[in-house]
Amino acid sequence: MKQHPPAIFLMGPTASGKTAAAVELVQHLPVEIISVDSALVYRGMDIGTAKPDAATLAVAPHHLIDLRDPPNAYSAADFHDDALALMQDIRARGNIPLLAGGTMLYFKALKEGLSDLPAADPELRAELEEEAARLGWPALHARLAQLDPETAARLKPNDSQRIQRALEVCLAAGEAMSAQLKRQAARPLPWNVLPLALVPSDRSVLHQRIAERFDSMLQQGIIEELAQLRRQYPELSLNTPSMRAVGYRQSWEYLDGQYDRTALRDKGIAATRQLAKRQLTWLRSMPENTRLDCLQPQLAGAVLNHCQRWINQL
């Protein structure tokens, strides 16, 4: 791998200190940050995504933020292509790509490549959405179970986005998506990667951070931010990919009167904890990662020291 150009992957659950560590690296090493976050790509979604503020971006610019308006989708395939192009540009400038974030599916897409599945068919997608509106997503999940039981088994009955995509692939290709994925060989990333995982030594401390962070978002005005987005983009709905982001979904339901502010806080914190749990599960499945305790007092310095040693060995 040493003949390949170097890149750093800085991964971790929400509230693990990834942004602070990345900013520290930019100030001491020849690196450029590429955001690996499925919510930071959306303009106007600043508070609920903990998007770096203008002062931080002035010190440490981030690529791949503020790319789309909230009604427009951004996929793992979009990220894969955008990130690869940026990595080459950064290399051409004599710098090292630093990919920092918590969207593990994006890291997986970049590391392993993407299968050549059929492209989305707007007409077929509209038919599936109409069917889901009449019958509900559990009914479409049951239909998927008949066409592709392996894929259906790993999806929840209300996982509308993935059920829809799996059905699209099955119907367009006339073959189960799982079978297509097995047949298509992965294309590993041709880069020499230092994979760093920021993980908590005490999960309860991370949970406390998550609660404090969500309280801060409420105080900063995530509800008002979402209300403005709903006014600005009438086509937004809970099924829009951007609105599946933790915090925004719960704020949407609050604005619709489904529960009060106390319930919003409880549900938002619980959903964020579930997100962190899923992120940590992803990280445990990557044995190649170097794990660093995200709760250590001098985390940014520890990450910097580790990266400096690695760069010196290149």
Side-chain angles (χ1 to χ4, degrees):
M1 286 292 292
K2 282 198 172 183
Q3 71 271 24
H4 293 311
I8 301 168
F9 284 7
L10 184 61
M11 302 167 280
T14 185
S16 60
K18 299 181 295 294
T19 298
V23 170
E24 182 76 8
L25 294 183
V26 166
Q27 296 180 77
H28 295 89
L29 299 175
V31 299
E32 294 184 40
I33 300 171
I34 298 176
S35 169
V36 188
D37 190 298
S38 61
L40 289 182
V41 300
Y42 293 109
R43 303 183 188 98
M45 293 174 57
D46 301 333
I47 296 171
T49 63
K51 189 174 291 179
D53 59 22
T56 300
L57 292 175
V59 173
H62 286 49
H63 299 286
L64 298 189
I65 67 172
D66 293 334
L67 301 180
R68 297 279 197 277
D69 290 330
N72 301 322
Y74 188 82
S75 68
D78 292 326
F79 170 81
H80 174 270
D81 295 344
D82 290 346
L84 279 180
L86 276 168
M87 291 171 76
Q88 292 292 357
D89 290 346
I90 292 169
R91 179 191 180 195
R93 289 191 285 271
N95 293 327
I96 297 172
L98 166 61
L99 293 100
T103 301
M104 301 306 163
L105 178 62
Y106 284 8
F107 279 114
K108 178 179 173 63
L110 192 58
K111 287 172 59 180
E112 300 178 5
L114 293 166
S115 299
D116 296 322
L117 297 175
D121 181 332
E123 185 174 341
L124 177 57
R125 176 162 294 188
E127 291 177 4
L128 292 171
E129 289 178 346
E130 188 276 332
E131 186 176 348
R134 286 188 293 107
L135 304 176
W137 285 106
L140 269 71
H141 182 266
R143 182 181 178 189
L144 177 63
Q146 294 179 329
L147 297 172
D148 187 352
E150 184 175 336
T151 298
R154 62 180 178 80
L155 300 181
K156 294 182 179 179
N158 286 309
D159 191 345
S160 58
Q161 185 177 18
R162 292 182 176 86
I163 293 170
Q164 181 184 65
R165 178 57 180 151
L167 280 171
E168 283 179 357
V169 170
C170 291
L171 295 171
E175 181 184 29
M177 185 171 75
S178 57
Q180 296 175 62
L181 291 172
K182 289 176 182 177
R183 190 173 60 251
Q184 296 172 1
R187 297 181 291 276
L189 182 68
W191 288 72
N192 177 18
V193 174
L194 171 63
L196 300 177
L198 307 185
V199 295
S201 54
D202 184 342
R203 189 81 64 90
S204 66
V205 177
L206 183 68
H207 289 172
Q208 181 60 35
R209 283 189 183 181
I210 286 171
E212 292 171 355
R213 184 172 180 171
F214 196 78
D215 284 338
S216 176
M217 290 175 179
L218 288 172
Q219 292 167 5
Q220 291 175 53
I222 183 176
I223 297 170
E224 293 75 15
E225 179 178 75
L226 176 58
Q228 170 58 31
L229 290 173
R230 287 173 58 159
R231 289 190 295 268
Q232 185 176 356
Y233 303 105
E235 65 271 35
L236 276 180
S237 75
L238 270 180
N239 290 325
T240 306
S242 63
M243 290 298 105
R244 295 191 179 103
V246 168
Y248 289 97
R249 169 172 289 276
Q250 292 73 34
S251 296
W252 186 292
E253 293 168 344
Y254 167 81
L255 287 173
D256 281 355
Q258 295 188 30
Y259 36 74
D260 62 17
R261 193 178 178 95
T262 299
L264 163 62
R265 178 184 184 272
D266 293 342
K267 289 177 179 293
I269 291 172
T272 311
R273 287 173 59 168
Q274 285 299 312
L275 169 62
K277 182 179 179 180
R278 292 193 299 272
Q279 291 168 317
L280 289 168
T281 299
W282 273 93
L283 291 171
R284 284 196 298 271
S285 72
M286 302 174 180
E288 70 277 13
N289 291 344
T290 297
R291 297 165 62 90
L292 298 173
D293 180 11
C294 69
L295 304 181
Q296 59 181 293
Q298 302 297 327
L299 173 62
V303 174
L304 173 61
N305 290 337
H306 198 91
C307 292
Q308 284 177 322
R309 289 195 300 270
W310 179 74
I311 290 172
N312 291 337
Q313 294 170 2
L314 294 175

